[in-house]
PDB file of all heavy atoms in Angstrom:
ATOM      1  N   THR A  37    -144.872  93.017 -73.689  1.00 85.00           N
ATOM      2  CA  THR A  37    -143.554  92.478 -73.352  1.00 85.00           C
ATOM      3  C   THR A  37    -143.315  91.111 -73.997  1.00 85.00           C
ATOM      4  O   THR A  37    -142.503  90.335 -73.534  1.00 85.00           O
ATOM      5  CB  THR A  37    -143.422  92.372 -71.813  1.00 85.00           C
ATOM      6  OG1 THR A  37    -144.596  91.725 -71.307  1.00 85.00           O
ATOM      7  CG2 THR A  37    -143.284  93.723 -71.162  1.00 85.00           C
ATOM      8  N   GLY A  38    -144.068  90.842 -75.046  1.00 85.00           N
ATOM      9  CA  GLY A  38    -143.885  89.570 -75.744  1.00 85.00           C
ATOM     10  C   GLY A  38    -144.515  89.634 -77.121  1.00 85.00           C
ATOM     11  O   GLY A  38    -144.986  90.707 -77.557  1.00 85.00           O
ATOM     12  N   LEU A  56    -151.929  90.896 -67.927  1.00 97.00           N
ATOM     13  CA  LEU A  56    -150.659  91.521 -67.533  1.00 97.00           C
ATOM     14  C   LEU A  56    -150.440  92.795 -68.334  1.00 97.00           C
ATOM     15  O   LEU A  56    -150.960  92.939 -69.440  1.00 97.00           O
ATOM     16  CB  LEU A  56    -149.478  90.568 -67.740  1.00 97.00           C
ATOM     17  CG  LEU A  56    -148.896  90.415 -69.147  1.00 97.00           C
ATOM     18  CD1 LEU A  56    -147.543  89.723 -69.079  1.00 97.00           C
ATOM     19  CD2 LEU A  56    -149.808  89.654 -70.049  1.00 97.00           C
ATOM     20  N   ASP A  86    -144.773  93.545 -64.832  1.00 98.00           N
ATOM     21  CA  ASP A  86    -143.335  93.432 -64.569  1.00 98.00           C
ATOM     22  C   ASP A  86    -142.863  94.691 -63.838  1.00 98.00           C
ATOM     23  O   ASP A  86    -142.501  95.681 -64.474  1.00 98.00           O
ATOM     24  CB  ASP A  86    -142.561  93.304 -65.884  1.00 98.00           C
ATOM     25  CG  ASP A  86    -142.798  91.982 -66.572  1.00 98.00           C
ATOM     26  OD1 ASP A  86    -142.140  91.008 -66.207  1.00 98.00           O
ATOM     27  OD2 ASP A  86    -143.665  91.941 -67.471  1.00 98.00           O
ATOM     28  N   PHE A 130    -143.947  90.368 -61.628  1.00 98.00           N
ATOM     29  CA  PHE A 130    -143.117  89.280 -62.168  1.00 98.00           C
ATOM     30  C   PHE A 130    -141.669  89.506 -61.752  1.00 98.00           C
ATOM     31  O   PHE A 130    -140.777  89.730 -62.579  1.00 98.00           O
ATOM     32  CB  PHE A 130    -143.215  89.231 -63.689  1.00 98.00           C
ATOM     33  CG  PHE A 130    -144.570  88.842 -64.212  1.00 98.00           C
ATOM     34  CD1 PHE A 130    -145.211  89.610 -65.174  1.00 98.00           C
ATOM     35  CD2 PHE A 130    -145.204  87.689 -63.766  1.00 98.00           C
ATOM     36  CE1 PHE A 130    -146.453  89.243 -65.674  1.00 98.00           C
ATOM     37  CE2 PHE A 130    -146.453  87.316 -64.264  1.00 98.00           C
ATOM     38  CZ  PHE A 130    -147.072  88.101 -65.214  1.00 98.00           C
ATOM     39  N   ARG A 144    -130.029  89.648 -70.453  1.00 98.00           N
ATOM     40  CA  ARG A 144    -130.902  89.696 -69.285  1.00 98.00           C
ATOM     41  C   ARG A 144    -130.139  89.665 -67.970  1.00 98.00           C
ATOM     42  O   ARG A 144    -130.759  89.640 -66.912  1.00 98.00           O
ATOM     43  CB  ARG A 144    -131.935  88.556 -69.359  1.00 98.00           C
ATOM     44  CG  ARG A 144    -132.778  88.653 -70.622  1.00 98.00           C
ATOM     45  CD  ARG A 144    -134.065  87.869 -70.522  1.00 98.00           C
ATOM     46  NE  ARG A 144    -135.036  88.547 -69.689  1.00 98.00           N
ATOM     47  CZ  ARG A 144    -136.319  88.199 -69.618  1.00 98.00           C
ATOM     48  NH1 ARG A 144    -136.757  87.183 -70.333  1.00 98.00           N
ATOM     49  NH2 ARG A 144    -137.152  88.844 -68.840  1.00 98.00           N
ATOM     50  N   GLU A 147    -131.231  91.937 -65.197  1.00 98.00           N
ATOM     51  CA  GLU A 147    -132.384  91.677 -64.334  1.00 98.00           C
ATOM     52  C   GLU A 147    -132.049  90.794 -63.146  1.00 98.00           C
ATOM     53  O   GLU A 147    -132.909  90.527 -62.302  1.00 98.00           O
ATOM     54  CB  GLU A 147    -133.484  90.981 -65.137  1.00 98.00           C
ATOM     55  CG  GLU A 147    -134.063  91.813 -66.248  1.00 98.00           C
ATOM     56  CD  GLU A 147    -134.933  90.960 -67.149  1.00 98.00           C
ATOM     57  OE1 GLU A 147    -135.918  90.392 -66.656  1.00 98.00           O
ATOM     58  OE2 GLU A 147    -134.607  90.844 -68.339  1.00 98.00           O
ATOM     59  N   LYS A 183    -138.643  84.023 -60.932  1.00 98.00           N
ATOM     60  CA  LYS A 183    -138.509  83.545 -62.317  1.00 98.00           C
ATOM     61  C   LYS A 183    -137.042  83.455 -62.683  1.00 98.00           C
ATOM     62  O   LYS A 183    -136.198  83.994 -61.947  1.00 98.00           O
ATOM     63  CB  LYS A 183    -139.267  84.483 -63.269  1.00 98.00           C
ATOM     64  CG  LYS A 183    -138.648  85.887 -63.399  1.00 98.00           C
ATOM     65  CD  LYS A 183    -139.559  86.794 -64.196  1.00 98.00           C
ATOM     66  CE  LYS A 183    -138.864  88.106 -64.509  1.00 98.00           C
ATOM     67  NZ  LYS A 183    -139.735  89.078 -65.162  1.00 98.00           N
ATOM     68  N   HIS A 184    -136.687  82.840 -63.738  1.00 98.00           N
ATOM     69  CA  HIS A 184    -137.446  82.018 -64.679  1.00 98.00           C
ATOM     70  C   HIS A 184    -136.963  80.606 -64.418  1.00 98.00           C
ATOM     71  O   HIS A 184    -135.772  80.328 -64.653  1.00 98.00           O
ATOM     72  CB  HIS A 184    -137.175  82.403 -66.132  1.00 98.00           C
ATOM     73  CG  HIS A 184    -137.357  83.878 -66.435  1.00 98.00           C
ATOM     74  ND1 HIS A 184    -136.407  84.828 -66.198  1.00 98.00           N
ATOM     75  CD2 HIS A 184    -138.413  84.543 -66.957  1.00 98.00           C
ATOM     76  CE1 HIS A 184    -136.848  86.017 -66.576  1.00 98.00           C
ATOM     77  NE2 HIS A 184    -138.061  85.882 -67.039  1.00 98.00           N
ATOM     78  N   TYR A 188    -132.414  79.668 -66.765  1.00 98.00           N
ATOM     79  CA  TYR A 188    -132.527  80.472 -67.995  1.00 98.00           C
ATOM     80  C   TYR A 188    -131.197  81.176 -68.315  1.00 98.00           C
ATOM     81  O   TYR A 188    -130.837  81.350 -69.478  1.00 98.00           O
ATOM     82  CB  TYR A 188    -133.652  81.478 -67.751  1.00 98.00           C
ATOM     83  CG  TYR A 188    -134.073  82.383 -68.867  1.00 98.00           C
ATOM     84  CD1 TYR A 188    -133.978  82.016 -70.206  1.00 98.00           C
ATOM     85  CD2 TYR A 188    -134.633  83.630 -68.575  1.00 98.00           C
ATOM     86  CE1 TYR A 188    -134.416  82.872 -71.215  1.00 98.00           C
ATOM     87  CE2 TYR A 188    -135.072  84.485 -69.562  1.00 98.00           C
ATOM     88  CZ  TYR A 188    -134.952  84.109 -70.885  1.00 98.00           C
ATOM     89  OH  TYR A 188    -135.383  84.953 -71.870  1.00 98.00           O
ATOM     90  N   MET A 227    -142.385  81.476 -62.199  1.00 98.00           N
ATOM     91  CA  MET A 227    -142.579  81.485 -63.654  1.00 98.00           C
ATOM     92  C   MET A 227    -141.620  80.486 -64.307  1.00 98.00           C
ATOM     93  O   MET A 227    -140.461  80.396 -63.909  1.00 98.00           O
ATOM     94  CB  MET A 227    -142.305  82.893 -64.209  1.00 98.00           C
ATOM     95  CG  MET A 227    -142.618  83.057 -65.689  1.00 98.00           C
ATOM     96  SD  MET A 227    -142.095  84.682 -66.319  1.00 98.00           S
ATOM     97  CE  MET A 227    -143.259  85.761 -65.526  1.00 98.00           C
ATOM     98  N   PHE A 230    -137.974  80.062 -70.656  1.00 98.00           N
ATOM     99  CA  PHE A 230    -138.121  79.781 -72.090  1.00 98.00           C
ATOM    100  C   PHE A 230    -137.245  78.616 -72.561  1.00 98.00           C
ATOM    101  O   PHE A 230    -137.516  78.001 -73.583  1.00 98.00           O
ATOM    102  CB  PHE A 230    -137.690  81.009 -72.905  1.00 98.00           C
ATOM    103  CG  PHE A 230    -138.668  82.150 -72.893  1.00 98.00           C
ATOM    104  CD1 PHE A 230    -138.259  83.428 -72.527  1.00 98.00           C
ATOM    105  CD2 PHE A 230    -139.984  81.979 -73.285  1.00 98.00           C
ATOM    106  CE1 PHE A 230    -139.140  84.492 -72.548  1.00 98.00           C
ATOM    107  CE2 PHE A 230    -140.886  83.036 -73.307  1.00 98.00           C
ATOM    108  CZ  PHE A 230    -140.456  84.307 -72.933  1.00 98.00           C
ATOM    109  N   ASP A 262    -143.861  81.390 -68.857  1.00 98.00           N
ATOM    110  CA  ASP A 262    -143.457  82.671 -69.414  1.00 98.00           C
ATOM    111  C   ASP A 262    -144.284  82.914 -70.678  1.00 98.00           C
ATOM    112  O   ASP A 262    -144.992  82.025 -71.155  1.00 98.00           O
ATOM    113  CB  ASP A 262    -141.948  82.707 -69.704  1.00 98.00           C
ATOM    114  CG  ASP A 262    -141.444  84.152 -69.765  1.00 98.00           C
ATOM    115  OD1 ASP A 262    -142.268  85.079 -69.859  1.00 98.00           O
ATOM    116  OD2 ASP A 262    -140.219  84.363 -69.724  1.00 98.00           O
ATOM    117  N   TRP A 263    -144.164  84.129 -71.191  1.00 97.00           N
ATOM    118  CA  TRP A 263    -144.998  84.568 -72.318  1.00 97.00           C
ATOM    119  C   TRP A 263    -144.856  83.585 -73.489  1.00 97.00           C
ATOM    120  O   TRP A 263    -143.774  83.494 -74.087  1.00 97.00           O
ATOM    121  CB  TRP A 263    -144.571  85.984 -72.726  1.00 97.00           C
ATOM    122  CG  TRP A 263    -145.407  86.652 -73.777  1.00 97.00           C
ATOM    123  CD1 TRP A 263    -145.628  86.207 -75.042  1.00 97.00           C
ATOM    124  CD2 TRP A 263    -146.117  87.892 -73.648  1.00 97.00           C
ATOM    125  NE1 TRP A 263    -146.433  87.077 -75.719  1.00 97.00           N
ATOM    126  CE2 TRP A 263    -146.746  88.132 -74.893  1.00 97.00           C
ATOM    127  CE3 TRP A 263    -146.286  88.825 -72.632  1.00 97.00           C
ATOM    128  CZ2 TRP A 263    -147.508  89.279 -75.145  1.00 97.00           C
ATOM    129  CZ3 TRP A 263    -147.044  89.962 -72.882  1.00 97.00           C
ATOM    130  CH2 TRP A 263    -147.660  90.181 -74.111  1.00 97.00           C
ATOM    131  N   MET A 294    -149.488  81.850 -70.074  1.00 97.00           N
ATOM    132  CA  MET A 294    -149.386  83.277 -70.359  1.00 97.00           C
ATOM    133  C   MET A 294    -149.441  83.540 -71.862  1.00 97.00           C
ATOM    134  O   MET A 294    -148.559  83.147 -72.616  1.00 97.00           O
ATOM    135  CB  MET A 294    -148.072  83.847 -69.788  1.00 97.00           C
ATOM    136  CG  MET A 294    -147.965  85.366 -69.883  1.00 97.00           C
ATOM    137  SD  MET A 294    -146.296  86.012 -69.581  1.00 97.00           S
ATOM    138  CE  MET A 294    -146.055  85.706 -67.872  1.00 97.00           C
ATOM    139  N   TRP A 400    -136.510  97.310 -68.624  1.00 96.00           N
ATOM    140  CA  TRP A 400    -137.437  96.604 -67.749  1.00 96.00           C
ATOM    141  C   TRP A 400    -138.030  97.498 -66.667  1.00 96.00           C
ATOM    142  O   TRP A 400    -138.556  97.010 -65.672  1.00 96.00           O
ATOM    143  CB  TRP A 400    -136.795  95.371 -67.129  1.00 96.00           C
ATOM    144  CG  TRP A 400    -136.940  94.172 -68.015  1.00 96.00           C
ATOM    145  CD1 TRP A 400    -135.939  93.480 -68.607  1.00 96.00           C
ATOM    146  CD2 TRP A 400    -138.164  93.535 -68.423  1.00 96.00           C
ATOM    147  NE1 TRP A 400    -136.460  92.443 -69.352  1.00 96.00           N
ATOM    148  CE2 TRP A 400    -137.819  92.465 -69.261  1.00 96.00           C
ATOM    149  CE3 TRP A 400    -139.528  93.778 -68.175  1.00 96.00           C
ATOM    150  CZ2 TRP A 400    -138.765  91.622 -69.843  1.00 96.00           C
ATOM    151  CZ3 TRP A 400    -140.472  92.931 -68.756  1.00 96.00           C
ATOM    152  CH2 TRP A 400    -140.087  91.871 -69.577  1.00 96.00           C
ATOM    153  N   GLU A 484    -134.324  91.923 -72.395  1.00 96.00           N
ATOM    154  CA  GLU A 484    -134.699  90.689 -73.097  1.00 96.00           C
ATOM    155  C   GLU A 484    -134.291  90.746 -74.574  1.00 96.00           C
ATOM    156  O   GLU A 484    -134.373  91.800 -75.208  1.00 96.00           O
ATOM    157  CB  GLU A 484    -136.216  90.462 -72.975  1.00 96.00           C
ATOM    158  CG  GLU A 484    -136.614  89.091 -73.480  1.00 96.00           C
ATOM    159  CD  GLU A 484    -138.075  88.755 -73.205  1.00 96.00           C
ATOM    160  OE1 GLU A 484    -138.670  89.400 -72.331  1.00 96.00           O
ATOM    161  OE2 GLU A 484    -138.598  87.846 -73.870  1.00 96.00           O
TER     162      GLU A 484
HETATM  163  C1  BGC B 801    -140.286  87.716 -70.015  1.00 75.37           C
HETATM  164  C2  BGC B 801    -140.674  87.648 -68.551  1.00 75.37           C
HETATM  165  C3  BGC B 801    -141.793  88.600 -68.279  1.00 75.37           C
HETATM  166  C4  BGC B 801    -142.952  88.270 -69.191  1.00 75.37           C
HETATM  167  C5  BGC B 801    -144.148  89.126 -68.944  1.00 75.37           C
HETATM  168  C6  BGC B 801    -141.479  87.628 -70.949  1.00 75.37           C
HETATM  169  O1  BGC B 801    -141.128  87.937 -72.246  1.00 75.37           O
HETATM  170  O2  BGC B 801    -139.376  86.689 -70.288  1.00 75.37           O
HETATM  171  O3  BGC B 801    -139.574  87.906 -67.741  1.00 75.37           O
HETATM  172  O4  BGC B 801    -142.145  88.559 -66.925  1.00 75.37           O
HETATM  173  O5  BGC B 801    -142.529  88.447 -70.523  1.00 75.37           O
HETATM  174  O6  BGC B 801    -143.931  90.415 -69.299  1.00 75.37           O
END
Side-chain angles (χ1 to χ4, degrees):
T37 49
L56 80 166
D86 290 277
F130 293 129
R144 301 199 75 168
E147 296 169 60
K183 68 188 189 186
H184 307 83
Y188 184 30
M227 186 186 290
F230 286 126
D262 202 346
W263 186 300
M294 187 193 291
W400 273 116
E484 190 172 341

